Amino acid sequence: GAVVSQHPSWVICKSGTSVKIECRSLDFQATTMFWYRQFPKQSLMLMATSNEGSKATYEQGVEKDKFLINHASLTLSTLTVTSAHPEDSSFYICSSWTGKSNQPQHFGDGTRLSIL
Amino acid sequence: ILNVEQSPQSLHVQEGDSTNFTCSFPSSNFYALHWYRWETAKSPEALFVMTLNGDEKKKGRISATLNTKEGYSYLYIKGSQPEDSATYLCAFLGSSNTGKLIFGQGTTLQVKP
């Protein structure tokens, strides 16, 4: 089946650090990649939609200057949390989608980000 | 604000029991309903993508039904096994077909041997 690689799995860093998370679609070309965030005991919340070669579309309330998304190729999207602070600590997970309406999204394993 | 609700939030059953959970979603502007299974320390795995009212899909011991008119889907697991222990997520795709999913909070199933 489709495989999406996301890394790192865990990040612990100091406040003010910028953190980059990579999401790679290993065996298919993803028209679209999605970035989600999950707070404890809550559902996956979509942060942004990333299409190859174009600017990401951010959901309401998500700061685009805080969460920089780059989708340089059909197989790679990155999320950079800039100048991270403790309130950015969360679980971040990406998914890839072929763009076909009857196809599911394929998820990475997620990244646990802890800002001290 | 579109809302997707799943119930129950958690479920504990004995091995061999059959179980089912519910996903409620908006009945308007429906495009598809996704079900995912999410085991601890793994990535969510797609179970079903359902698009037609009355649709019923099956994968091994797991099946799902869809009622788009009233806005609900049921997921059934027949003869639960410990390896079925996971969080089951449903997600609503609106008619815009941008691929943007709205997820429920999930139902966490624990199957005791």
Side-chain angles (χ1 to χ4, degrees):
Chain A
V3 177
V4 174
S5 172
Q6 181 176 344
H7 70 88
S9 302
W10 274 93
V11 180
I12 301 174
C13 58
K14 293 181 179 179
S15 187
T17 307
S18 291
V19 178
K20 182 187 278 189
I21 303 170
E22 285 193 355
C23 181
R24 289 183 185 272
S25 178
L26 296 182
D27 58 356
F28 72 99
Q29 292 184 327
T31 302
T32 305
M33 289 187 173
F34 300 95
W35 288 96
Y36 296 88
R37 183 174 182 175
Q38 187 183 35
F39 291 105
K41 298 189 185 298
Q42 294 191 22
S43 57
L44 292 175
M45 297 296 295
L46 181 65
M47 298 175 65
T49 303
S50 170
N51 291 295
E52 185 261 343
S54 62
K55 288 185 179 180
T57 303
Y58 290 82
E59 295 301 300
Q60 193 173 7
V62 178
E63 298 176 59
K64 62 180 180 180
D65 295 329
K66 160 68 81 173
F67 300 102
L68 299 180
I69 291 172
N70 183 275
H71 194 154
S73 74
L74 283 171
T75 59
L76 174 64
S77 177
T78 61
L79 168 67
T80 301
V81 184
T82 61
S83 187
H85 288 93
E87 58 267 26
D88 298 322
S89 298
S90 191
F91 182 78
Y92 296 87
I93 190 167
C94 67
S95 72
S96 296
W97 186 49
T98 60
K100 296 180 181 177
S101 60
N102 63 344
Q103 295 295 306
Q105 293 182 16
H106 299 282
F107 287 84
D109 287 341
T111 298
R112 176 74 58 192
L113 176 61
S114 296
I115 307 299
L116 305 176
Chain B
I1 296 177
L2 299 176
N3 210 25
V4 178
E5 299 280 347
Q6 290 188 248
S7 64
Q9 193 170 357
S10 64
L11 199 52
H12 295 250
V13 302
Q14 289 294 134
E15 182 176 355
D17 288 351
S18 293
T19 186
N20 65 85
F21 353 114
T22 306
C23 173
S24 301
F25 53 86
S27 55
S28 59
N29 297 323
F30 175 88
Y31 198 94
L33 195 281
H34 291 212
W35 280 100
Y36 293 87
R37 165 197 161 93
W38 194 358
E39 289 182 71
T40 303
K42 294 186 178 180
S43 57
E45 171 198 358
L47 289 173
F48 307 114
V49 176
M50 308 180 80
T51 56
L52 299 175
N53 183 46
D55 211 0
E56 183 168 341
K57 296 211 172 185
K58 190 174 181 182
K59 187 175 184 178
R61 293 179 290 99
I62 305 176
S63 60
T65 60
L66 180 68
N67 183 324
T68 60
K69 294 184 188 300
E70 295 181 43
Y72 65 83
S73 175
Y74 294 135
L75 189 80
Y76 300 90
I77 302 179
K78 185 178 178 182
S80 302
Q81 299 297 308
E83 58 265 31
D84 295 329
S85 298
T87 296
Y88 292 83
L89 299 171
C90 70
F92 169 83
L93 178 64
S95 58
S96 62
N97 194 28
T98 57
K100 290 169 60 171
L101 294 175
I102 299 170
F103 280 85
Q105 287 185 295
T107 293
T108 299
L109 172 69
Q110 188 169 353
V111 182
K112 299 176 185 177

